[in-house]
Amino acid sequence: MGMTSLERELKRGSAELLILALLEEQERHGYQIGQLIAERSDGAITFHATSLYPTLYRLEHKGLIEGRWVEKPGTRRRRYYRLTPGGRGVLAKQRSVWETFSAALTRVAGVRHA
Amino acid sequence: MRSFSARIRSAFTAAGHPLDEDVVEELAQHAESAYESSRAEGHGDAEANLAVETLIRGWVADPSALRRQVRRAPAVVPPAASRGFAAGSLADATYAWRLLRSRPGHGVVTILTIALGVGAVTTLFSVANGVLLRPLPWASGDGLVQIVESRGGREGRVPGTVMNGTFLAWSESPQTIEGLAAWRAGTVTLTGAGDATRVPVTSVTPAMFDLLRAQPIRGRTFAAGEGRQGQPGVAILSHGMWQRQFGSREDIVGQSIALDGASYTVVGIMPAGFVFPTGETQLWLPTELPPVDGPGGVKRGTIIRAIARLKPGVTTAQAAAEGTARATTAPDAGPVGMALFGAASPIQIAVTDVNEAATAEVRPAIIILLIASVLLFASAIGNVANMQVARATVRQRELTIRAALGAGIGRLSRQLLIENTLIGVSGAVLGLGLTIALHRVLPSILPAGFPRADAIAIDGRVLIVAVVLSVIASLAAGVLPMLFARRLDLARAMSEGSLGSAGAGRGRLATARLLIAGSQVAVTSVLIIGGMLLTRSFMATMTADRGYDPTNVLTATVPFPGGYSFERRQQARARIVARLKSRPGITHAAFSTGVPLMSAGGYTSFTLRSPFGSGEVQAESIRRLVTPDYFGALGVRIRAGRPIAGTDVAGSATAVVVNRSFVRKYLDDVPIERAIGASLGSHAVSGTAYSGDATVVGVTDDLRQDAIDAPDQPEMFVALAQMTEASQQGASSIVVVRTAGDPAAYVETLRTVMREEDPGIALDAVMSMDQRVGQSVSRPKVYAVLLAGFALAALLIAGAGLYGVLSHGVAQRSRELAVRSALGASRPAVVAVALKQVSIAMILGVATGIALSMALASNLAPFLYGVPAGDWISFAAGPAFLLAAGVLACAAPARRVAQTDPIQVLREGG
């Protein structure tokens, strides 16, 4: 694939941002998160299920999300993740950084709407 | 699912990176979902399996990224050891504060527990302090004593009083006392200053103010001779009355005011702080006691409250001896004394310090409740100690390492002490806050007429108690963990690992914790049994048969204006009854000179020659003068004969309705039907217009006059219409109305009817009979509610304590339990092992509690009605309830034991 380090960082940052954003609405389990990322970005960002769990565990270790086993009647128990107050703060901050970044990108790199 | 887990597990194991079971389960679920969605999209089994295989291969490629690292709370760094005492203590305090904040749940529970205990004790202490320890506001100087007369061991109809004869005899040149003064509370109607209002007054003998050493701020106090019949009326205003009713007018002294239609001259105003006998009294009137021997050979008896001031150096016993001797020199009041005391002699005078006398009734209850609150506090402190020990064993590694790194035992002890002081003080401050909050609502909780309720406040003494309690709490919470710190064993702690070891749940500390839990159970048993006894007793007083039906009955005193003639009074009563009965919803209306639970009412004493031939007896009885509908209005059951009727009028034969007690005591206990028609002689009812014999026409059930547990008293009912003017003088007029619904809804009707008759009638003491009953049992109610409240709090505390001890013990012994399980012990057997010690502590605690309660219950006996002190229901149900709560508290830790996977425990511990 030959990803540059910039690409990797961008992708990694965006993956974390995406997961935090998805968990802002409600708590979800891993498979759901993977599916939703694929769906919502129209396949533009598919990040492999391989990196999904490492990302979740990293976010959990940072204290931005927390996972817990939930047993719902009629189904077997699944591990659900939800946003912590810390995660909520980071999400807000990352969002504004991302917006500034993409605006700057648009200006500097001359990416313009047709 | 199983196959996916197995595939993932083996893939990782093959790669040399075994995964946590958690992660395996999570990944397996993902794999399964991926497989299912692949199949759903129409792929075959092989294809779907391939997708899963790719997925797993992707995961295995970076196994270290799939290691979940459990997030730990940021460590709180302990302070360095090498500091001076002051700096070190400050550092310790900061450290303690950080530790508290790092585990807010533990801190909050501990502090709340202490607050509950401190709050209970300080509140009860503030009541005891205000009621029992603080002097009466008017008892300035030493030696003020209350004088009480008893005859043959019986106090007067109004307890705590003396008779006029005794008072006057002792007043003449007394030896042991400086002087005597008497007082009686009442109410008058004030007119001419706005609407007619009822004003609480106290009638005092003129010497009262001098005896109290009280000075007026305007005018003078009473002079000797004032209050005597025929003297002009004079009055002294309270400061409050002067401000409210008369706008602090300087010229009010010397002006006249109208009380009960008569004119009184204001002669003085008392200062703002002056209170006698309670803050209720708005003005004082002079009174003089009549001599026993009245004009024309009439014996006059009256009972009144009296106080005296002892001469310096005289004891109460010496004064009592003089009083008793003097009383015998008083002229014999004959049957009047009989009627007032129920016995003629021997006269005994008791002299008691006024402060003691004022609170004698409530002292035992306050002391019992105070002890109960101290027990609750002890139980709360037990919990705190237990929680702190649990905390210390969890922190064993921290403490051990610090000890190993050179922190001396003294230093660590100080650290623990400061930590616990922080907790103790916070709890005490919060508890004091709880007390302050309770003080806001206390006036509405305390029963009506609770003595000295106005003196209950948070003063220096209450604060000192709070401080002492916080010190006790801090020490108690700190001592056990400190002992623990002294026994730290570095090698053991390090080798056995932070999760604790098989042995850590045992030993002396564990025994101490079990002992605490057992004691808590014992204390709670005592409180629960006591609470149940009082509650059951209170319920018994509420449901007991009082001989009448108090539901839907409205009563009020009708003070007819002073100028009413006898005829006008009679006509007014008849008109009022007729008007009331014509109102919708009023089924019965009557007048009477008294109803149960109201101190007003007449007594009579006469010589009765038994109509059944057993000779002469001195009969003494309550005498109620009633209009015909009284029995219907109050719901009194006529058991034989007839009630008082409209045909019992002036001039016709005197008809008397008596109660069962009267028949039992004075009519030879004949069957009540035989009592009908019995003649009571011509002296039985003095003051009728008829000169012949009075005849029994009906018999009612006994009525409970005052307290539900007071002995039955003989009672006679006579038609008001048959009585002469003289015999009705001074008697109260009480209207009794039976309503179809809630009597409160008819208060306005009653007032309207009175206004229609005469706007000058200001109704007094308007209350439903249910309210009177409620008021009469308000003390037992408060005692029961408080003790039950303490019991409930103790139950919560003991439950939390048992839960804490058990769950901590289970955590400490997890390895031992796992080993037992692994060696083949069944789940129930392992749970039984885990519960054994706590169960023994609980059962021993309950047994001790029952034994203690049996020993203590006799102290509650004076507060119990209808329930014996050894009431088996309380003794069985209380502990049963406690055991149930204990089982509940143990359920969660026991379940945890049952559900624990021994392999997991052993792997983690290893």
Side-chain angles (χ1 to χ4, degrees):
Chain A
M1 281 252 241
M3 253 201 271
T4 66
S5 80
L6 174 67
E7 253 180 306
R8 197 162 39 234
E9 279 308 303
L10 272 176
K11 207 155 187 185
R12 183 169 162 171
S14 65
E16 289 190 0
L17 181 62
L18 273 169
I19 289 173
L20 292 181
L22 284 175
L23 293 181
E24 191 183 22
E25 302 156 22
Q26 64 176 85
E27 56 176 24
R28 303 176 192 280
H29 56 78
Y31 186 75
Q32 250 178 340
I33 295 171
Q35 293 297 103
L36 277 170
I37 291 178
E39 261 168 42
R40 295 217 175 156
S41 58
D42 271 341
I45 309 172
T46 43
F47 84 108
H48 202 271
T50 315
S51 58
L52 173 63
Y53 288 97
T55 310
L56 284 174
Y57 296 162
R58 196 165 57 240
L59 288 171
E60 192 180 23
H61 181 61
K62 283 184 188 169
L64 303 182
I65 61 174
E66 62 186 353
R68 61 195 178 107
W69 289 103
V70 175
E71 216 155 338
K72 289 189 178 162
T75 64
R76 54 169 186 267
R77 66 178 202 146
R78 292 198 94 130
R79 199 171 165 80
Y80 278 79
Y81 293 89
R82 64 174 171 204
L83 219 51
T84 65
R88 218 166 280 283
V90 166
L91 175 63
K93 214 161 109 192
Q94 276 208 17
R95 256 199 194 123
S96 82
V97 167
W98 189 253
E99 271 157 22
T100 316
F101 177 70
S102 73
L105 211 66
T106 313
R107 273 199 310 276
V108 175
V111 182
R112 288 198 180 85
H113 296 286
Chain B
M1 176 65 198
R2 269 252 169 262
S3 69
F4 288 120
S5 320
R7 271 162 73 180
I8 291 167
R9 203 178 290 118
S10 65
F12 276 88
T13 314
H17 287 279
L19 278 186
D20 282 354
E21 273 309 301
D22 263 33
V23 177
V24 171
E25 192 178 343
E26 194 173 16
L27 295 182
Q29 277 169 8
H30 189 107
E32 192 189 6
S33 299
Y35 174 87
E36 277 164 4
S37 85
S38 177
R39 292 298 305 258
E41 283 166 22
H43 300 294
D45 175 62
E47 221 169 327
N49 260 322
L50 190 65
V52 169
E53 200 50 49
T54 318
L55 202 56
I56 295 177
R57 229 177 293 133
W59 285 328
V60 176
D62 191 4
S64 59
L66 284 170
R67 199 161 276 287
R68 280 185 63 230
Q69 291 160 294
V70 181
R71 186 177 157 79
R72 284 179 206 279
V76 179
V77 184
S82 56
R83 298 203 197 191
F85 180 77
S89 299
L90 188 69
D92 281 347
T94 317
Y95 176 58
W97 174 241
R98 286 207 197 118
L99 270 182
L100 259 182
R101 288 200 31 195
S102 75
R103 284 185 159 217
H106 173 88
V108 166
V109 170
T110 317
I111 289 171
L112 282 183
T113 308
I114 296 181
L116 194 65
V118 171
V121 178
T122 46
T123 304
L124 253 298
F125 178 78
S126 69
V127 172
N129 180 40
V131 175
L132 303 183
L133 301 178
R134 271 173 32 166
L136 284 167
W138 43 269
S140 64
D142 293 326
L144 269 190
V145 288
Q146 189 191 42
I147 314 292
V148 176
E149 177 172 346
S150 57
R151 294 178 178 216
R154 300 168 71 166
E155 287 189 16
R157 295 285 183 192
V158 178
T161 52
V162 296
M163 215 169 131
N164 48 341
T166 307
F167 182 89
L168 293 172
W170 200 3
S171 292
E172 272 173 50
S173 59
Q175 300 299 307
T176 56
I177 54 174
E178 284 173 10
L180 275 165
W183 57 277
R184 178 187 291 128
T187 46
V188 295
T189 307
L190 173 73
T191 48
D195 286 342
T197 44
R198 294 295 284 173
V199 178
V201 298
T202 297
S203 299
V204 298
T205 54
M208 180 62 85
F209 291 96
D210 287 343
L211 191 77
L212 295 174
R213 295 177 184 155
Q215 298 290 330
I217 48 164
R218 301 279 188 287
R220 59 172 177 87
T221 55
F222 297 131
E226 279 180 327
R228 191 174 298 163
Q229 202 113 47
Q231 290 284 314
V234 289
I236 294 176
L237 300 183
S238 71
H239 196 264
M241 176 95 173
W242 179 46
Q243 287 188 319
R244 265 195 319 279
Q245 212 78 37
F246 301 103
S248 303
R249 270 167 48 201
E250 287 292 334
D251 62 347
I252 190 71
V253 175
Q255 302 273 333
S256 44
I257 55 175
L259 304 175
D260 284 343
S263 170
Y264 287 76
T265 306
V266 175
V267 296
I269 299 161
M270 294 310 286
F274 181 76
V275 163
F276 180 83
T278 67
E280 253 185 25
T281 294
Q282 296 300 308
L283 49 88
W284 294 271
L285 303 176
T287 185
E288 198 181 63
L289 298 189
V292 172
D293 290 317
V298 174
K299 293 283 187 188
R300 289 185 301 194
T302 177
I303 48 177
I304 192 163
R305 297 180 188 280
I307 57 172
R309 194 180 288 276
L310 298 179
K311 283 186 175 167
V314 172
T315 64
T316 50
Q318 287 167 328
E322 192 201 0
T324 305
R326 289 304 196 90
T328 55
T329 69
D332 181 24
V336 181
M338 234 358 231
L340 290 174
F341 285 84
S345 62
I347 299 176
Q348 194 76 36
I349 297 296
V351 174
T352 332
D353 178 85
V354 280
N355 284 307
E356 238 179 276
T359 55
E361 280 176 280
V362 291
R363 184 178 297 112
I366 291 181
I367 290 173
I368 286 175
L369 289 173
L370 195 57
I371 291 171
S373 73
V374 169
L375 286 177
L376 179 66
F377 175 74
S379 184
I381 294 308
N383 251 20
V384 171
N386 254 344
M387 283 193 272
Q388 293 304 88
V389 171
R391 192 77 208 281
T393 49
V394 169
R395 284 169 63 195
Q396 189 174 9
R397 251 159 90 97
E398 175 217 325
L399 294 172
T400 314
I401 293 170
R402 289 182 61 195
L405 291 179
I409 286 299
R411 176 64 203 269
L412 287 183
S413 299
R414 188 181 75 191
Q415 159 84 55
L416 287 170
L417 192 66
I418 286 180
E419 266 181 57
N420 288 303
T421 306
L422 194 68
I423 288 173
V425 170
S426 309
V429 167
L430 204 63
L432 204 57
L434 193 68
T435 302
I436 291 170
L438 280 174
H439 270 249
R440 293 260 162 91
V441 295
L442 209 54
S444 56
I445 295 175
L446 282 179
F450 194 87
R452 317 270 299 112
D454 49 343
I456 299 168
I458 296 170
D459 63 2
R461 263 192 279 206
V462 176
L463 289 178
I464 288 172
V465 166
V467 169
V468 169
L469 292 179
S470 82
V471 169
I472 294 174
S474 308
L475 283 179
V479 160
L480 271 183
M482 246 157 74
L483 289 178
F484 178 80
R486 290 186 189 282
R487 298 199 306 117
L488 283 180
D489 177 346
L490 176 67
R492 228 182 86 192
M494 297 307 287
S495 67
E496 286 175 347
S498 60
L499 277 172
S501 65
R506 298 252 167 99
R508 265 197 305 203
L509 257 181
T511 312
R513 301 195 65 203
L514 283 170
L515 208 65
I516 290 175
S519 314
Q520 285 178 320
V521 170
V523 162
T524 309
S525 302
V526 171
L527 291 177
I528 286 191
I529 291 171
M532 282 211 59
L533 281 172
L534 287 188
T535 307
R536 277 172 50 74
S537 156
F538 171 65
M539 278 158 53
T541 60
M542 288 307 284
T543 52
D545 178 24
R546 293 171 178 271
Y548 58 93
D549 177 11
T551 316
N552 294 344
V553 179
L554 190 62
T555 60
T557 305
V558 186
F560 287 114
Y564 269 37
S565 68
F566 177 62
E567 286 74 24
R568 185 165 175 201
R569 207 181 278 249
Q570 279 187 315
Q571 289 158 5
R573 274 200 287 254
R575 273 196 298 268
I576 291 168
V577 166
R579 282 209 186 97
L580 283 171
K581 281 187 174 174
S582 72
R583 298 283 175 144
I586 292 181
T587 56
H588 299 270
F591 271 93
S592 163
T593 51
V595 289
L597 298 169
M598 207 174 184
S599 54
Y603 298 93
T604 186
S605 179
F606 59 95
T607 308
L608 174 66
R609 181 183 295 279
S610 168
F612 302 101
S614 66
E616 273 187 8
V617 284
Q618 189 64 31
E620 22 167 320
S621 169
I622 299 169
R623 192 182 73 176
R624 302 253 188 256
L625 308 180
V626 299
T627 61
D629 212 9
Y630 179 79
F631 302 93
L634 205 56
V636 177
R637 299 180 292 259
I638 301 284
R639 289 308 191 185
R642 63 165 177 92
I644 296 295
T647 49
D648 300 318
V649 291
S652 69
T654 307
V656 179
V657 172
V658 298
N659 68 352
R660 284 180 187 271
S661 280
F662 193 98
V663 176
R664 202 159 44 240
K665 223 167 158 183
Y666 303 128
L667 298 181
D668 298 353
D669 201 8
V670 297
I672 53 173
E673 290 75 19
R674 267 191 70 199
I676 306 302
S679 162
L680 300 179
S682 58
H683 299 297
V685 185
S686 55
T688 55
Y690 180 74
S691 57
D693 287 359
T695 313
V696 174
V697 298
V699 179
T700 71
D701 275 338
D702 288 335
L703 272 70
R704 303 284 172 173
Q705 297 298 333
D706 301 302
I708 190 76
D709 49 355
D712 291 325
Q713 296 181 56
E715 189 167 6
M716 301 162 69
F717 301 90
V718 183
L720 203 49
Q722 293 193 313
M723 305 303 290
T724 59
E725 177 175 2
S727 63
Q728 289 187 36
Q729 217 133 45
S732 323
S733 269
I734 293 155
V735 66
V736 187
V737 173
R738 179 161 290 275
T739 58
D742 180 12
Y746 294 89
V747 172
E748 213 26 65
T749 311
L750 189 62
R751 289 195 194 279
T752 309
V753 167
M754 293 301 161
R755 258 197 307 275
E756 281 169 15
E757 176 62 34
D758 183 346
I761 299 175
L763 281 184
D764 205 13
V766 184
M767 280 172 99
S768 71
M769 225 38 219
D770 272 335
Q771 279 174 312
R772 289 191 194 280
V773 169
Q775 209 174 54
S776 76
V777 296
S778 56
R779 269 186 213 177
K781 183 177 166 189
V782 166
Y783 301 154
V785 165
L786 277 178
L787 201 55
F790 286 161
L792 205 65
L795 191 69
L796 277 178
I797 288 174
L802 283 171
Y803 173 83
V805 168
L806 187 61
S807 54
H808 181 247
V810 165
Q812 292 286 301
R813 294 170 65 194
S814 55
R815 282 230 303 194
E816 175 207 331
L817 297 174
V819 168
R820 283 176 188 270
S821 196
L823 289 178
S826 67
R827 288 275 153 100
V830 174
V831 171
V833 166
L835 288 179
K836 190 177 146 198
Q837 288 176 327
V838 171
S839 309
I840 291 174
M842 204 150 81
I843 288 164
L844 284 181
V846 166
T848 314
I850 292 177
L852 270 174
S853 301
M854 282 177 170
L856 292 173
S858 63
N859 291 304
L860 276 185
F863 303 100
L864 297 181
Y865 166 79
V867 178
D871 176 46
W872 69 269
I873 293 183
S874 301
F875 273 84
F881 194 54
L882 175 58
L883 284 175
V887 168
L888 212 64
C890 292
R895 231 183 67 155
R896 218 174 305 141
V897 170
Q899 289 178 347
T900 308
D901 179 1
I903 305 302
Q904 188 113 2
V905 172
L906 291 175
R907 197 196 287 155
E908 282 172 2

